[in-house]
């Protein structure tokens, strides 16, 4: 791999900036100052340092974000702010993207990564990865909603997979577990019961709960343990 590619995919700097760093003599490979940013290196075997600090090569990055209201689940939008703009420049440079979508007004757990294969696996309808949402409604859900949700709510684009609904005593709020992601799914499911969602928060994804230490708009890398849970999520969460 070229040194400049290594630096940009490690989120350190752009390829252009890598040229400047080499001119400054800030980069070493195995202790030797490099003169060109296009030299070939082996990320696994060589030690690359910037100003004496070793750069650890990560093939992929996995981020947990507590999405605030008003952000679009995308990497670009003509008018509105996008979730990736909340990340560091280095992560944006790596091409990190959101794994699935939340509506603009939905808040809570988003996973972002540059691991396309894992993202694809987690979003595949065949995998049944569980997502838990907390919600508040405009009016109480009628009796029997739990059973109807478990049986599969019919929407115009198909029958929903069985969803587990857990309601508060006044039936105005609760949690729902989905294993798929149709457009505006929870909002539309609630509408079939004559109610509107007034607040929606994703609280867990594929066995990973939202870190409550993160404020809205804050993010952190997933721990190694969380990455392992996520990688095993498709198979393990088959039966809700
Ligand atoms: N269901 C919705 O209606 N909106 C979301 O953002 C997620 C699930």
């Amino acid at each position: 791999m070229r040194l400049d590619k290594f630096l940009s995919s490690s989120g350190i700097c752009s390829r252009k900036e890598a040229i400047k760093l080499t001119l400054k003599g800030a980069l070493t490979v195995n202790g030797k100052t490099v003169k060109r940013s296009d030299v070939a290196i082996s990320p696994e075997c060589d030690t690359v340092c910037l100003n004496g600090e070793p750069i650890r090569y990560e093939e992929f990055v996995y981020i947990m974000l507590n999405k605030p209201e008003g952000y679009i689940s995308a990497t670009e939008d003509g008018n509105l702010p996008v979730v990736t703009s909340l990340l560091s420049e280095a992560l944006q440079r790596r091409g990190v993207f959101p794994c699935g979508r939340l509506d603009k007004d939905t808040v809570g757990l988003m996973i972002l990564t540059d691991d396309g294969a894992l993202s694809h696996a987690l979003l595949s309808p065949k995998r049944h990865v569980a997502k838990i949402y907390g919600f508040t409604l405009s009016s109480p859900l009628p009796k029997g909603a739990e059973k109807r949700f478990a049986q599969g709510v019919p929407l115009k684009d198909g029958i929903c997979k069985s969803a587990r609904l857990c309601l508060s005593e006044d039936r105005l709020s609760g949690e729902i577990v989905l294993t798929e992601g149709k457009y505006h799914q929870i909002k539309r499911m609630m509408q079939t019961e004559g109610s509107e969602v007034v607040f929606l928060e994703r609280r867990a994804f594929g066995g990973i709960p939202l870190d409550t230490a993160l404020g809205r708009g804050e993010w952190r890398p997933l721990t190694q343990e969380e990455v392992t849970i996520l990688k095993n999520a498709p198979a393990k969460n088959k039966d809700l």
Side-chain angles (χ1 to χ4, degrees):
M1 181 188 284
R2 279 169 52 144
L3 176 61
D4 50 5
K5 168 94 194 324
F6 168 82
L7 292 169
S8 68
S9 50
S10 303
I12 300 295
C13 63
S14 66
R15 290 197 184 187
K16 229 175 172 176
E17 287 160 347
I19 297 175
K20 289 188 195 153
L21 290 174
T22 33
L23 291 175
K24 277 194 206 157
L27 289 162
T28 57
V29 176
N30 301 328
K32 279 196 187 145
T33 306
V34 285
K35 301 267 179 321
R36 294 178 61 104
S37 62
D38 59 356
V39 290
I41 61 133
S42 160
E44 289 81 27
C45 306
D46 294 328
T47 305
V48 179
C49 291
L50 170 61
N51 297 320
E53 287 294 317
I55 298 167
R56 235 186 57 207
Y57 180 68
E58 316 241 22
E59 191 181 7
F60 298 117
V61 289
Y62 306 92
I63 305 295
M64 171 188 295
L65 167 74
N66 185 348
K67 179 189 174 297
E69 220 184 314
Y71 282 76
I72 304 286
S73 304
T75 53
E76 282 179 70
D77 187 85
N79 307 305
L80 294 159
V82 292
V83 286
T84 47
S85 68
L86 295 161
L87 305 178
S88 67
E89 275 184 26
L91 287 171
Q92 292 180 54
R93 214 164 16 233
R94 272 190 79 122
V96 165
F97 58 87
C99 179
R101 285 172 178 269
L102 290 177
D103 295 339
K104 193 178 120 199
D105 54 353
T106 302
V107 298
L109 176 57
M110 279 216 93
I111 303 292
L112 297 104
T113 184
D114 51 359
D115 183 345
L118 181 65
S119 175
H120 184 76
L122 291 169
L123 298 176
S124 164
K126 288 188 207 136
R127 305 287 181 133
H128 306 266
V129 173
K131 291 141 217 152
I132 305 176
Y133 296 83
F135 58 82
T136 309
L137 302 169
S138 59
S139 56
L141 283 190
K143 244 175 121 183
E146 292 92 332
K147 195 164 168 217
R148 288 187 288 278
F149 277 33
Q151 283 168 343
V153 174
L155 296 177
K156 68 174 189 299
D157 49 343
I159 298 176
C160 297
K161 291 202 170 84
S162 176
R164 197 195 298 157
L165 184 61
C166 185
L167 288 168
S168 59
E169 218 172 303
D170 61 8
R171 305 182 70 82
L172 268 171
S173 60
E175 281 194 342
I176 182 168
V177 187
L178 297 188
T179 55
E180 58 184 340
K182 292 186 193 294
Y183 179 68
H184 290 338
Q185 183 164 343
I186 297 172
K187 291 173 183 162
R188 291 194 293 147
M189 287 171 82
M190 298 303 177
Q191 281 165 354
T192 65
E193 297 285 335
S195 192
E196 293 292 331
V197 170
V198 293
F199 172 77
L200 189 58
E201 177 186 52
R202 185 152 66 194
R203 297 187 178 155
F205 184 115
I208 300 180
L210 175 63
D211 183 341
T212 51
L214 292 177
R216 298 275 186 237
E218 290 181 346
W219 58 272
R220 65 160 172 79
L222 291 187
T223 62
Q224 204 48 56
E225 207 183 337
E226 287 169 334
V227 174
T228 306
I229 293 172
L230 209 57
K231 287 185 174 170
N232 290 329
K236 280 199 177 151
N237 287 314
K238 239 181 211 148
D239 304 311
L240 266 190

